[in-house]
Amino acid sequence: MGEVSDFLSNLFNHSGEFICLTSLRAKPLFVNEAGRQLLGMPDQQDVESLRLSDFYAPETWEQMRRVAIPAVNEAGHWEGEGELRHFQSGERLDVAITAFLARHPRKKHPVCLVVTHRDISDRRRAEASEVLKEAILESSLDPIITVNHEGVITVFNQAAEETFGRKAAEVLGKKPEDILFAPSDVAGGPDRVGRHVSTREGSMLGKRTEMTGMRASGETFPLETAMTVSQVKGFPVVTFFLRDISDRKRWESALRQAKDSAEAANRAKGEFLANMSHEIRTPMNAIIGMTELVLETEMTSSQRDYLKMVRESGESLLAVINDILDFSKIEAGRLDLEHDVFD
């Protein structure tokens, strides 16, 4: 048996795939070095003390028992996919499985069952990543467009279809500047994007810029754009993350108009107060002046007291009017400051 084991080791240990030989009753007889490493099998582990089910996740072993082994016994061959179980960590490993009967070279009767396993974990991860990417693309509320190194569109998500009013089928393979952007934004656009692609640097990378998009109807609308450059199979690929900012622009315009109206109303109020204060101050000065002239004439003491009260009240009212005038000048931006020395 030792000579057979050495022969099998020399024969299969140079293979990068996990190869297992079993009896016709699926009793493990040999596992090559690649299989031991993939399973995390200890060096001292005796293969013949194991069961074939020890290699697989429960669901995969059930598939092997119910489908694969009967298929091999009937047709001599079976292919499928499943999961191995790591001996140490219990981690599951995705593999492509091929099982077939090895026959005696002369007598042609089955000698053993050969089961090969090819690690497809990287492929499964890539598939899962692709599914996740597709889910992100289609669930995004913002348009996402990808342009390859030849400058044509390769990705056009559902949000882009809704925003531009075009189906992906009519856009893929075409240049975005021909159908998605307003002519005012197209001039120099391809060259600018090309420079970003070739150098992976530029003003459009890592920040949001504004462009003008064009819907299928010919209507133009404002777009906020962010751009990234990546490599796919050695070629640069540009991904545009777009956002229709028509509503935001309308809100900004309405806010500016409301602000301008409020400022105009405030200025009108200030000018009105300034004019009214000036108009009131002029007759008030006349009242105070005439009161002082009357106080210089002959009159009874009671009359003099009454006129003094009129003058003092007028001066107090004039002080209030002057304060209102100063406040109005401040609001109207017409306040003149005086420089004076004080202690």
Side-chain angles (χ1 to χ4, degrees):
M1 189 64 186
E3 292 180 358
V4 174
S5 179
D6 291 342
F7 171 75
L8 293 175
S9 296
N10 290 330
L11 185 63
F12 295 119
N13 278 345
H14 293 294
S15 172
E17 296 184 355
F18 165 22
I19 300 175
C20 173
L21 305 184
T22 77
S23 69
L24 296 178
R25 294 188 175 183
K27 175 68 176 175
L29 301 174
F30 171 79
V31 172
N32 70 342
E33 187 61 31
R36 287 179 173 273
Q37 292 179 3
L38 190 62
L39 293 170
M41 187 184 298
D43 293 337
Q44 66 274 16
Q45 178 72 59
D46 181 10
V47 174
E48 295 186 22
S49 67
L50 299 172
R51 297 170 299 176
L52 190 60
S53 60
D54 295 333
F55 299 160
Y56 301 102
E59 301 85 353
T60 301
W61 170 242
E62 189 66 17
Q63 179 188 26
M64 296 287 289
R65 188 177 68 83
R66 289 182 175 273
V67 180
I69 294 176
V72 169
N73 289 333
E74 181 178 344
H77 183 270
W78 178 84
E79 291 184 359
E81 293 182 356
E83 294 178 323
L84 297 176
R85 182 181 59 82
H86 195 275
F87 276 37
Q88 306 298 323
S89 66
E91 177 188 3
R92 295 188 175 196
L93 308 168
D94 294 307
V95 290
I97 305 171
T98 301
F100 60 91
L101 290 173
R103 299 182 180 276
H104 192 283
R106 292 190 301 276
K107 299 179 180 180
K108 304 300 181 183
H109 62 77
V111 176
C112 66
L113 175 66
V114 181
V115 188
T116 67
H117 308 78
R118 179 166 48 85
D119 187 355
I120 59 172
S121 300
D122 289 342
R123 193 192 80 189
R124 285 288 178 84
R125 281 192 290 269
E127 290 173 351
S129 176
E130 191 65 25
V131 169
L132 178 60
K133 184 181 78 171
E134 189 67 22
I136 292 173
L137 281 173
E138 294 309 316
S139 62
S140 173
L141 299 179
D142 291 330
I144 299 176
I145 300 171
T146 298
V147 178
N148 68 9
H149 65 286
E150 295 178 342
V152 300
I153 299 170
T154 57
V155 173
F156 196 76
N157 73 339
Q158 183 176 343
E161 291 183 339
E162 295 171 356
T163 298
F164 288 94
R166 296 180 182 274
K167 293 295 183 182
E170 63 178 296
V171 169
L172 297 180
K174 296 182 180 178
K175 295 187 175 183
E177 61 269 20
D178 292 340
I179 55 175
L180 299 181
F181 298 109
S184 58
D185 276 349
V186 169
D191 291 339
R192 188 181 181 193
V193 171
R195 288 195 299 272
H196 284 69
V197 171
S198 60
T199 63
R200 300 177 69 88
E201 297 178 351
S203 60
M204 294 176 68
L205 291 175
K207 63 181 66 175
R208 290 189 175 274
T209 57
E210 291 189 7
M211 300 180 69
T212 303
M214 185 170 62
R215 306 189 202 277
S217 62
E219 173 195 359
T220 59
F221 63 99
L223 275 173
E224 190 174 63
T225 306
M227 186 182 84
T228 63
V229 180
S230 55
Q231 292 284 329
V232 175
K233 297 181 180 180
F235 293 101
V237 169
V238 182
T239 301
F240 293 95
F241 300 89
L242 309 174
R243 178 169 295 173
D244 184 347
I245 56 174
S246 302
D247 290 340
R248 193 181 81 187
K249 289 294 186 181
R250 283 193 290 269
W251 297 334
E252 289 175 352
S253 177
L255 185 61
R256 280 194 300 269
Q257 291 177 5
K259 177 176 176 290
D260 292 342
S261 298
E263 289 177 348
N266 201 43
R267 284 194 299 270
K269 181 190 70 175
E271 291 173 0
F272 171 77
L273 286 174
N275 291 332
M276 287 300 296
S277 299
H278 180 74
E279 294 299 327
I280 294 173
R281 187 171 61 173
T282 299
M284 188 56 63
N285 282 326
I287 291 171
I288 294 172
M290 295 305 295
T291 301
E292 290 185 354
L293 289 176
V294 174
L295 284 172
E296 294 178 359
T297 63
E298 295 291 334
M299 64 185 69
T300 65
S301 59
S302 296
Q303 290 174 331
R304 186 172 297 279
D305 290 339
Y306 294 154
L307 286 175
K308 284 182 178 179
M309 290 177 63
V310 171
R311 184 184 63 185
E312 290 171 359
S313 298
E315 289 174 347
S316 297
L317 183 57
L318 184 61
V320 172
I321 293 172
N322 285 334
D323 289 342
I324 293 174
L325 183 59
D326 288 342
F327 180 75
S328 301
K329 285 182 176 181
I330 291 172
E331 284 196 328
R334 297 187 301 181
L335 181 66
D336 296 325
L337 298 179
E338 294 183 0
H339 297 275
D340 203 354
V341 179
F342 63 94
D343 293 332

